[in-house]
Amino acid sequence: MARFDGTVALISGGARGMGAAHVRGLVAEGAKVVFGDILDDEGRNLQDEVGESTRYVHLDVTSEADWQAAVATAEKDFGPINLLVNNAGIVSYGPVDVMEPEEFRRVIDINLTGTFLGMHFAVPSMRTAGGGAIINISSTAGLMGYATIAAYGASKWGVRGMTKAVALELGNDNIRVMSIHPGPIRTPMTDGMSDELTMAQPIKRFGTAEEVTKLMMFMAADATYSTGSEWVIDGGAVLGPVIDIPQE
Ligand code: NAP
């Protein structure tokens, strides 16, 4: 029996990057997966690649109707959901006095409100399933500050805080709720970033989407005594820079 036999997963932002790695990883280990994105061509191509155990749906995470339709597709084709991965997200750069308020609101709407909506619409289905796991993708930007991404940081700190509140609410429903905090991971989101960015870390490279998938799958299937917890996967980035302290 495969590790994810009997799992019905719903993943946002699944057409590319880490979300696509999560789709591939879960299907390879037996799960049925509904995944959504706003990149419909990439999403349909991925569904063609991974096959009958998946359904691609158009899912703009800011749309309540899209979330309702995604949950309905999962229930109709595969059964009630027992794994939700709130992965969709965007980053936007600009100092606080330069970023337009409208852009700040857009980042919060997708990254933070989108994560809330995912939980809001999936939880009734998860109760029907008898429980499961919710994994919210935050960031090291939800653990520390980075200049020029105040909106992104606010959204990712918000995801981290919301995760803990909802974990307290859903314990009695047998639903575990956790956050993942990736550091620099090589995906389309970080295409323009140089490897130099990782040189102050103990592990001097970008992580891969597949490394995050392995952690996500461990949390979903094996971390059965964990809820409300934050899981860091960052090559040691949050430790601060490696500094050689001069010896006397
Ligand atoms: P990615 O390659 O850009 O994938 C994110 C996906 O979400 C894209 O397909 C994106 O489409 C989609 N998306 C954007 N807005 C959406 C919306 N309103 N509704 C549904 N989908 C939407 O990024 P990634 O690196 O895999 O990131 C996945 C998650 O990890 C994000 O939450 C990100 O913040 C987080 N994260 C990433 C890193 C990193 O280093 N890569 C580090 C820490 C945390 P578009 O291309 O149209 O925007």
Side-chain angles (χ1 to χ4, degrees):
M1 184 170 157
R3 187 161 56 142
F4 285 91
D5 278 351
T7 294
V8 177
L10 175 56
I11 303 176
S12 67
R16 71 174 203 192
M18 282 185 242
H22 299 338
V23 173
R24 292 189 179 99
L26 285 168
V27 168
E29 295 207 34
K32 307 287 190 199
V33 180
V34 174
F35 68 102
D37 208 297
I38 51 175
L39 302 176
D40 293 333
D41 289 344
E42 285 92 331
R44 288 192 200 100
N45 288 343
L46 180 58
Q47 178 174 335
D48 290 345
E49 175 201 315
V50 286
E52 271 311 294
S53 298
T54 61
R55 296 287 180 275
Y56 173 74
V57 294
H58 180 86
L59 171 60
D60 177 341
V61 294
T62 66
S63 162
E64 296 173 36
D66 283 1
W67 274 114
Q68 283 171 306
V71 171
T73 297
E75 291 190 327
K76 178 170 70 67
D77 290 355
F78 298 138
I81 294 161
N82 49 19
L83 174 60
L84 170 68
V85 184
N86 276 309
N87 167 78
I90 58 165
V91 66
S92 183
Y93 299 90
V96 70
D97 56 332
V98 172
M99 180 176 279
E100 293 295 337
E102 193 49 40
E103 179 63 1
F104 184 92
R105 289 192 187 98
R106 188 175 78 93
V107 174
I108 297 293
D109 204 22
I110 293 171
N111 294 2
L112 182 56
T113 311
T115 298
F116 164 78
L117 290 175
M119 295 193 285
H120 178 80
F121 287 109
V123 161
S125 182
M126 298 183 78
R127 285 201 182 102
T128 304
I134 297 174
I135 300 180
N136 294 325
I137 308 301
S138 177
S139 168
T140 50
L143 298 166
M144 60 191 282
Y146 292 93
T148 77
I149 54 169
Y152 186 77
S155 71
K156 295 302 188 178
W157 279 76
V159 167
R160 177 183 172 205
M162 189 164 59
T163 298
K164 295 182 193 310
V166 178
L168 287 164
E169 292 173 20
L170 297 181
N172 287 339
D173 294 304
N174 193 32
I175 300 172
R176 296 176 297 114
V177 191
M178 294 157 282
S179 54
I180 296 183
H181 299 260
I185 308 295
R186 201 44 97 192
T187 69
M189 181 182 275
T190 56
D191 257 354
M193 292 182 189
S194 156
D195 289 338
E196 286 299 312
L197 193 78
T198 65
M199 291 305 136
Q201 299 175 186
I203 302 174
K204 299 183 195 316
R205 64 173 175 83
F206 276 67
T208 67
E210 290 70 27
E211 287 174 305
V212 181
T213 295
K214 279 190 220 162
L215 174 61
M216 180 280 291
M217 289 170 63
F218 176 82
M219 292 163 68
D222 302 311
T224 48
Y225 196 48
S226 291
T227 192
S229 46
E230 47 205 50
W231 298 62
V232 181
I233 175 162
D234 70 337
V238 294
L239 300 173
V242 178
I243 297 171
D244 287 330
I245 299 173
Q247 307 285 314
E248 292 270 329

